[in-house]
Amino acid sequence: MSGGDKLDFEIRPNLAPVSAADRAALLTNPGFGRVFTDHMVTVRYADGKGWYDARVEARAPIPMDPASAVLHYAQEIFEGLKAYRTADGGVTMFRPDANAARFATSAQRMAMPVLPPEVFVDSLHKLIEIDREWIPTGEDGSLYLRPFMFASEVFLGVRPANEYLYMVIASPVGAYFTGGVKPVTVWVSPDYTRAAPGGTGAAKCGGNYAASLAAQAEAIEAGCDQVVFLDAVERRFVDELGGMNVFFVYDDGTVVTPPLTGTILPGITRDAVLTLAGAAGHQVEERPVSFADWQADAASGRLKEVFACGTAAVVTPIGGVRFPDGEFLIGGGEPGRVTMALRQQLVDIQRGKAADPHGWVQRVF
């Protein structure tokens, strides 16, 4: 098997897959990220050899030496995207090329080898094709795909590893937030920050999410669904949520989101929302929004809606904001018209129910 921009995947079917009856039972209520398909993708990398040994094989534990570099120096990145069933029985993905590009950018930031985008996308196709029966048919159902890569070299020492393992696993999922689409309440963290200028905020690496967990626990203790981080320098400006980008909708129809300055993950859903909002006639701005302005504009009525967006939750309205000194509502705590219109348009495009003028949807078969 040769390295390069294209690899031939060896297919090793699982000899003991989940039975059709058991699979159907699991798909009745899969939740999010708790049920997994029968197969996984593995591709290896070594300095001087490149990418090799591409396989689709039975999902199984990963043999790992306790001195594997990732366990000590956290060289790890990942992506998340979904596959959807269409009305004609086909399967589509939403912007996998964008995920491939972001995966490459994350790899560069973490001093890891870049997986060719063609291999990234092909690996998704191969896994979907063999595990297509795991894709839920319900309205909120999809197959969540998790490509990831980590330093697998066995060594102790602070330097980029010489060996890596790229993998893809898949999980049939329902809605990210239980109970359907309803406004969530967010907690503005007074003490914790997610990322600083010059750090890894724009990379999709596990360390960013690990750093958010204490703040997320604080949010849950305060009775909130998610945490909102302020910038690490002035502690004034809104960055993003623990796992989602954030948008503000004003009374003149302007849609605003914080700019990508290196501390915010360049969300693929975020980019799509910007495009859709502009096409719908909204003035779209990427500019800083301070927490003080957020609070003042909500009180005056100038700010009408706030929503979060990401692959898992798509577009989710934010109805309430809490912080150590108080709380306030946005738009009376109800889902906003612009928020729900953008969500529906995006969902319809993803599932092949609406026109796709931007060519975002890729058909798998």
Side-chain angles (χ1 to χ4, degrees), residues 300-324:
S300 70
R302 179 170 176 257
L303 179 66
K304 293 298 184 182
E305 306 173 34
V306 180
F307 62 86
C309 69
T311 297
V314 191
V315 172
T316 299
I318 295 174
V321 181
R322 292 179 185 165
F323 51 103

Side-chain angles (χ1 to χ4, degrees), residues 266-333:
I268 292 162
T269 306
R270 173 190 182 275
D271 181 70
V273 167
L274 286 170
T275 300
L276 293 176
H282 296 278
Q283 180 176 330
V284 175
E285 298 179 5
E286 296 180 69
R287 61 171 173 81
V289 177
S290 71
F291 177 58
D293 286 343
W294 183 358
Q295 188 175 4
D297 290 342
S300 70
R302 179 170 176 257
L303 179 66
K304 293 298 184 182
E305 306 173 34
V306 180
F307 62 86
C309 69
T311 297
V314 191
V315 172
T316 299
I318 295 174
V321 181
R322 292 179 185 165
F323 51 103
D325 297 328
E327 61 183 306
F328 59 91
L329 294 178
I330 299 149

